Amino acid sequence: MDKQIHNRKLEQLITNGVPEDDHAKKISDFFKATGEPTRVKIILALSQTSLSVNEIAEILNMSQSGISHQLKTLRDARIVVGERFGKEVHYRLVDNHIVRIFEQVIKHADE
Amino acid sequence: MDKQIHNRKLEQLITNGVPEDDHAKKISDFFKATGEPTRVKIILALSQTSLSVNEIAEILNMSQSGISHQLKTLRDARIVVGERFGKEVHYRLVDNHIVRIFEQVIKHADE
DNA sequence: TGAACATATGAACAGATGTGCATATGTTTG
DNA sequence: CAAACATATGCACATCTGTTCATATGTTCA
């Protein structure tokens, strides 16, 4: 038999809803995409201007392939979008939601 | 010889500052801590009320040890703090910065 | 003090993740 | 069409990470 829920705090959580797996997964998927230094640098760079893959690789001093892989992760998390112009693909942040989230986190990290 | 920086966008990034390793590391450390479903659930639960380790373990249906390890990660990222009351340690979110960040991310994830 | 309870920590292991290399796909231009 | 350039993708591998088990540390109370 399960342990009994025995206090007010747990009752409150039961009523307001224990965190659901799907919900938590969605949220952590976003954070997972931003939880890596290279991808953070990409996002910070794109917060200033849109950039092609090679430009990002040049700025961050990494291989084109490495950057392309990371951009895929960021695309999957709907953090960046790429638009093709001829041979190049210009990447930019999806919206400035992202920038606002980063601003808050930077504030938090600087305390 | 390095490739020449050859366009306006890159010049702008150079002036405004290419993303620094330390800065990116700090930011990604925060995101890394939130980028895992179990820890997200802990944070969501703590956003409603403070909880002891065993209470969290019960709610999330996980081992005490597992939760304790995750709480260490969250402590290290200064997302939660624990305060001891007798035998128990009550955990809570450090500030409501965290909740605001989560609200924004949830909005982003729900689009 | 010793038993019972709550939490923390170290070791070990399976599974996930970041990166570079080689190569494929897509696009332009001669 | 072929060559040159930009980007994407599969593979392989080293590293990192989440979880459990066993045990240590901390606290209360009889």
Side-chain angles (χ1 to χ4, degrees):
Chain A
M1 214 228 275
D2 280 359
K3 261 190 200 170
Q4 278 290 320
I5 299 298
H6 56 293
N7 69 32
R8 200 163 43 78
K9 289 194 276 182
L10 297 201
E11 278 168 22
Q12 186 186 332
L13 263 167
I14 297 295
T15 356
N16 292 5
V18 167
E20 293 286 346
D21 279 2
D22 323 356
H23 195 213
K25 176 83 168 39
K26 265 190 196 168
I27 298 172
S28 70
D29 279 347
F30 174 89
F31 284 126
K32 199 165 290 198
T34 54
E36 205 277 327
T38 301
R39 291 194 292 270
V40 165
K41 286 191 230 168
I42 294 175
I43 293 169
L44 290 176
L46 292 180
S47 73
Q48 303 200 31
T49 180
S50 68
L51 293 164
S52 74
V53 177
N54 271 337
E55 285 173 332
I56 298 173
E58 189 176 336
I59 291 167
L60 303 190
N61 202 35
M62 283 185 56
S63 72
Q64 177 270 321
S65 165
I67 297 299
S68 200
H69 279 297
Q70 300 295 22
L71 285 170
K72 170 159 179 48
T73 303
L74 292 173
R75 260 187 282 126
D76 290 348
R78 298 183 312 108
I79 290 172
V80 306
V81 272
E83 191 176 357
R84 186 174 272 277
F85 290 94
K87 288 184 275 192
E88 301 179 352
V89 177
H90 294 354
Y91 278 90
R92 61 168 195 277
L93 301 184
V94 170
D95 57 33
N96 37 18
H97 238 128
I98 315 292
V99 177
R100 264 178 261 141
I101 292 168
F102 267 62
E103 283 169 354
Q104 299 238 27
V105 171
I106 290 168
K107 254 187 240 165
H108 179 83
D110 283 347
E111 270 166 17
Chain B
M1 215 229 277
D2 281 359
K3 260 191 200 170
Q4 278 290 321
I5 299 297
H6 55 292
N7 69 30
R8 198 165 42 79
K9 291 194 274 181
L10 298 202
E11 277 168 21
Q12 185 185 333
L13 263 168
I14 298 294
T15 356
N16 292 4
V18 168
E20 293 285 344
D21 279 2
D22 322 356
H23 196 215
K25 177 83 168 42
K26 266 192 195 168
I27 297 172
S28 70
D29 279 347
F30 174 90
F31 285 125
K32 199 165 291 197
T34 55
E36 204 277 327
T38 301
R39 291 194 291 271
V40 165
K41 288 192 228 168
I42 293 175
I43 292 169
L44 290 176
L46 292 180
S47 74
Q48 304 201 31
T49 179
S50 68
L51 293 164
S52 73
V53 179
N54 272 338
E55 286 173 331
I56 298 172
E58 189 176 336
I59 290 167
L60 303 190
N61 201 36
M62 283 187 57
S63 71
Q64 176 270 319
S65 167
I67 297 298
S68 199
H69 279 297
Q70 300 295 24
L71 285 169
K72 172 161 177 47
T73 304
L74 292 173
R75 259 187 280 126
D76 290 349
R78 298 180 315 108
I79 290 173
V80 305
V81 271
E83 191 177 356
R84 187 174 271 278
F85 290 95
K87 288 183 275 192
E88 299 179 349
V89 177
H90 294 355
Y91 278 90
R92 63 170 194 278
L93 300 183
V94 170
D95 57 33
N96 37 18
H97 239 126
I98 316 291
V99 177
R100 261 178 263 141
I101 293 168
F102 267 62
E103 283 169 354
Q104 299 237 27
V105 171
I106 290 168
K107 252 187 240 164
H108 179 83
D110 282 348
E111 267 165 18

